[in-house]
Structure formats: structure tokens, C-alpha cells
Amino acid sequence: TIAQTGNTSASSSINGNLLVDADHDANTTHTADTDSGVVTTSLGAAMALGYVDGGAHASNGMTIDLTDAAGTVTVTADSDTMLNADATSGQSGVPGPGSGTDPVSEQIEEQLEGLVALAGQPEIPEDVIRVLQRARAETADGSLGAAAAAAMNLDFGSSVAALSDDSAITTSQVPVVAATADMDVDASADANSVDATAGVGVAVAINVDGQLIQSAIGGEVHAPAIPLETVSSGDGVNRFNANAI
């Protein structure tokens, strides 16, 4: 969600106020459930993977004079998002370690490569690779076999408000440049119903936080004062929950 005034080579004047505002609201849920309630020998992990990139971006690049109209300059961006991944595995009779099936961590990595490519990113972030490497480790019940429930969120959501480096603002009022956000992430993985005597049921819940909330003032500003705010919105708390059973 982008609100932006471009750079101008000449100075502009208006008879009122300048308002550039971007407001982004999104609620995304990914659910994977292999719990059929039937005891059966079968393969298939439950993997719910969420990826978010972008958000609210507001910026001004114009050269503009508001002194004659005593106009105000306001550049605000707010991002209110929830990213949720729920995975439930109910497979029974699944072969354990050494069965020849791909480890769930490798399956996750393959899925993430597709998500990252879809988002136009060149490769999986290094911090995610490190998390997956840890997930490959043996657990007390064995390796992450095909009965795993894996829930993962990669949240690179952002809220950015800026007077760009090329802008020039002249105003008799105090300008407002503020980026706000309330970005919550929840990952829940449940392999509780997997028959541990027949197969390995491991739950993995991971949140990778790459969120950005940024306010910036560049260029040239002539004003009585220059406040700059980067604060929370909504309930005032960015919540990160990872729950594995």
C-alpha cells in the first residue's frame, strides 16, 4: 500500500494542506491439517508456511511552499497486520528415522524457496537457514519424520513514512512525519495425536521477524520545529507467538 508524491524539478505552492497517508490492513491465515481421525499407515507432514513482504509506505519528494496558506505537512503510514500459520498432524504408523523419506526440514526449505521466489527475493534469508539447520537435529524421539507438524511465519512486513532526500518543504506550521504499526505473528504446530509407538510425531513452530517500522526526514525542511515519530498503533504491542505440541 503506497502513497507517494514524486520528485519535482520546480517549486510548487498550494493553498491548503499537504497530506500523504498510507494505511495497510491485512489478516492472513495458513492452515494445514492431516488429522483425519483414522488410524492408518500413511505419509505426509502438515506444513503451514506464511510469508509477508511489504506494508504501508508513505513519502513526499516534492519541493513545495505552504507558507502563504499557513498549511500543514503530514506524512503518515500505518500497517495493521496479522500473520497466522496452523499445522496439525494426525498421521499414525509412519516409518521412523532411516525410512528413506525426506526430512521435514528439507521439505520446509523447498517450500520456502518457492515462497521467496514468488516474493521476488533472490534467496532464503540467512537467519532462516540457521533455523532450519537447527530443526534438522535429532530429537529425543528421532529425526523430524513424515508425521511432523510444521508451522512457520516469515514476517518482513513494514511501515515507512518519509520526507525523501530530494524533497524541500517550507511551512509555517510544524510538520508531522510518523510511521506506526501493529504487526502480530502466530505459529501453532500440533502433533499431539500422532501415535508415538508407530511413528515419530514432532511439532515445529518458528517465527522469523524481519519487521520494519521507520520514519525518516531528509532533503530540506524550513519549519518552526521538526518532530519525528516511530510508535506502535493498535493495542501498542507487536505480539509473536510460537506454540508447538
Side-chain angles (χ1 to χ4, degrees):
T1 303
I2 300 173
Q4 181 179 15
T5 60
N7 301 335
T8 53
S9 57
S11 178
S12 301
S13 299
I14 60 175
N15 295 320
N17 303 320
L18 173 65
L19 170 63
V20 183
D21 179 53
D23 187 9
H24 181 77
D25 296 286
N27 192 330
T28 307
T29 299
H30 300 270
T31 302
D33 190 344
T34 60
D35 187 5
S36 64
V38 178
V39 178
T40 179
T41 301
S42 57
L43 299 176
M47 292 187 293
L49 309 175
Y51 184 97
V52 167
D53 190 7
H57 291 198
S59 64
N60 174 70
M62 296 179 66
T63 297
I64 190 165
D65 189 340
L66 299 93
T67 51
D68 291 343
T72 61
V73 175
T74 304
V75 180
T76 55
D78 182 66
S79 185
D80 185 357
T81 63
M82 173 65 187
L83 180 59
N84 183 60
D86 294 314
T88 303
S89 178
Q91 301 294 334
S92 299
V94 178
S99 63
T101 59
D102 293 334
V104 167
S105 54
E106 293 183 7
Q107 296 177 40
I108 293 176
E109 187 169 341
E110 180 180 352
Q111 295 294 325
L112 287 178
E113 288 175 351
L115 285 173
V116 171
L118 186 65
Q121 302 295 323
E123 58 186 9
I124 300 176
E126 183 61 31
D127 51 0
V128 178
I129 293 295
R130 290 195 295 268
V131 170
L132 291 174
Q133 288 172 344
R134 291 198 297 270
R136 289 194 186 99
E138 293 284 322
T139 70
D141 294 319
S143 64
L144 299 186
M152 175 181 284
N153 290 311
L154 289 80
D155 190 355
F156 295 90
S158 57
S159 179
V160 178
L163 292 177
S164 68
D165 292 343
D166 296 319
S167 69
I169 296 292
T170 302
T171 174
S172 60
Q173 305 298 315
V174 177
V176 174
V177 179
T180 59
D182 182 13
M183 298 186 284
D184 301 325
V185 184
D186 182 88
S188 298
D190 189 348
N192 187 50
S193 61
V194 174
D195 185 353
T197 62
V200 179
V202 179
V204 180
I206 300 173
N207 287 320
V208 176
D209 170 26
Q211 295 178 352
L212 172 68
I213 307 174
Q214 176 179 309
S215 299
I217 291 181
E220 190 175 317
V221 181
H222 301 273
I226 304 177
L228 187 64
E229 294 184 346
T230 304
V231 296
S232 296
S233 60
D235 63 0
V237 180
N238 288 4
R239 303 181 187 277
F240 298 86
N241 179 63
N243 184 43
I245 301 174

